[in-house]
Structures are given as C-alpha cells and as structure tokens.
Amino acid sequence: DGGITQSPKYLFRKEGQNVTLSCEQNLNHDAMYWYRQDPGQGLRLIYYSQIVNDFQKGDIAEGYSVSREKKESFPLTVTSAQKNPTAFYLCASRPTADPNYGYTFGSGTRLTVV
Amino acid sequence: QKEVEQNSGPLSVPEGAIASLNCTYSDRGSQSFFWYRQYSGKSPELIMFIYSNGDKEDGRFTAQLNKASQYVSLLIRDSQPSDSATYLCAAPLNSGGYQKVTFGIGTKLQVIP
C-alpha cells in the first residue's frame, strides 16, 4: 500500500544533541512538508520541498535542517539550536505543490527533550 | 496576518445528532478548502475538500463553502461516538507570492452516546 512512513514513533533527545527524523513516501509525490504540532496551536510549517534537490524554509525553520536527495525521502534534523523541540512532528506529501491538492500525512514522530 | 480561524471547542453533541463545525478565513483569494480529522495522538486524515460555493456531500459528511462571507463549514449527520476527534480546517493563503496551506487550531468534537 502507498503511504508515508515516519520513524521513529517516539524519540528522546538530550540537551545539546542533534536528532534526525525519517520520512519516506512511496506515493510518487513531488512535494513534501514538515509540520510541528503543539497543544493548542495549529500545525506550523517548518520546511517544504516542491521537488527533489530543492527545499524552502517555512515559518519556524530556525534550529531545523532538511535534505531532499531522493524523491522518496525528506529527513528532518532537529539541531541543538532548537531550544524548545518537544512536539509532535508530522511529515506530509502531495502530488505537486498545487495548493488544490490535499495532504497525505505520515503517522508522526513524538519528540521529547529529556 | 492571514489566518484560518476555528473555535477550539469542545463541541458536544448527542449520538445521532448533526454536528456543525465552522471555519473562517481571511484571504479572499483562497480557492480550495480542506477538512482533516485527527484522532487523539494520531496524525490528521483528509476527509473533505471543497472548491466551489455551495454544498459538497460525501456520505454523512457535507462541506459548505460561502466565499462571499469567507466561511466554510463541515456538517456531520447521524453523529457517532467514532466521530469524536479534532477537526482541522485548512486553506491555502497567499504568503509572499506562495500559496501556503494554513491550518486552524481545530475544533474538538465529542459525540455523547
């Protein structure tokens, strides 16, 4: 079945540590996105990629980095510069960047700072 | 700041009733609107989208769009306890020449058996 796979489901980060969240899709979608969800807030866009080898900052990119070397993969690194990383991270994709397409979401990664 | 606004709820309805969820948006240029359902602890799932003024029906769900008044709503008929979830409204809003999808904070729906 086609879909988006995020791993790990739960991740614990120590202070000063970089961690990488995986996002893989087999939907043949060009556009991929990373969102962060905090209680009581809407989804906030971290980074997006409209096509392989290209990506753009979203609204809250500070302390995060991404790569898009393959169409199927869009990993997110949470660096030590991100001071409040505890959140639910969601990867999404759609066929193209055309805003008339809805998103398919992965199952999410819950990151906690310990 | 262009926004998508929803009442966070919770909205409580008895089983079998009609649940009405509302959303307003600030960008008159928005063309398409989406409703996502998110169960507690899970990721959002697309359940409805609408592009044209009027109603769009899919099973027990009806999306309603009024572009003149800039609101979109989701009606759930014959509400079931399994409909209890948070419903997110989303619309692409123009942001520096890019159509950025903006989500509301979501309305929590509780269907009481």
Side-chain angles (χ1 to χ4, degrees):
Chain A
D1 288 337
I4 299 180
T5 301
Q6 288 188 245
S7 63
K9 189 172 182 177
Y10 298 97
L11 186 58
F12 298 92
R13 193 194 93 166
K14 296 180 180 179
E15 295 285 347
Q17 189 178 43
N18 292 355
V19 293
T20 297
L21 284 59
S22 172
C23 177
E24 302 278 335
Q25 54 99 358
N26 61 3
L27 299 167
N28 199 33
H29 286 176
D30 283 326
M32 298 186 72
Y33 304 81
W34 275 105
Y35 283 91
R36 168 180 173 147
Q37 187 173 39
D38 296 276
Q41 298 194 43
L43 276 67
R44 292 185 289 166
L45 182 63
I46 304 172
Y47 267 97
Y48 63 96
S49 170
Q50 299 185 59
I51 199 166
V52 66
N53 290 323
D54 183 63
F55 52 83
Q56 306 293 332
K57 292 181 179 180
D59 298 321
I60 55 165
E62 185 175 352
Y64 300 98
S65 65
V66 294
S67 63
R68 186 83 187 277
E69 298 176 0
K70 297 187 300 182
K71 186 175 185 177
E72 301 79 17
S73 179
F74 191 40
L76 174 74
T77 296
V78 184
T79 75
S80 57
Q82 172 49 241
K83 297 306 179 187
N84 185 23
T86 295
F88 189 39
Y89 290 85
L90 290 160
C91 181
S93 72
R94 57 185 176 186
T96 73
D98 184 338
N100 292 315
Y101 285 108
Y103 288 143
T104 299
F105 283 92
S107 58
T109 293
R110 200 166 296 275
L111 174 62
T112 304
V113 174
V114 296
Chain B
Q1 179 85 15
K2 296 185 176 177
E3 297 178 345
V4 174
E5 296 189 354
Q6 295 180 261
N7 187 319
S8 62
L11 172 67
S12 295
V13 299
E15 183 175 355
I18 296 175
S20 178
L21 306 164
N22 299 313
C23 170
T24 60
Y25 59 95
S26 59
D27 186 355
R28 285 192 172 274
S30 294
Q31 297 296 314
S32 52
F33 304 87
F34 303 89
W35 285 99
Y36 294 84
R37 178 177 62 200
Q38 185 174 24
Y39 291 114
S40 181
K42 303 296 185 182
S43 61
E45 172 193 13
L46 180 66
I47 56 171
M48 288 288 284
F49 60 89
I50 186 166
Y51 304 138
S52 304
N53 270 332
D55 295 358
K56 178 182 178 182
E57 188 174 316
D58 184 1
R60 295 187 296 111
F61 297 99
T62 299
Q64 299 177 319
L65 175 59
N66 184 322
K67 290 187 177 181
S69 300
Q70 294 178 243
Y71 81 79
V72 56
S73 61
L74 179 70
L75 302 179
I76 306 175
R77 292 182 300 281
D78 188 23
S79 295
Q80 301 297 309
S82 59
D83 295 325
S84 297
T86 296
Y87 290 81
L88 306 175
C89 174
L93 305 184
N94 191 21
S95 176
Y98 173 72
Q99 290 270 303
K100 187 187 74 160
V101 174
T102 300
F103 288 84
I105 62 172
T107 298
K108 185 173 183 178
L109 174 66
Q110 297 176 336
V111 180
I112 311 301

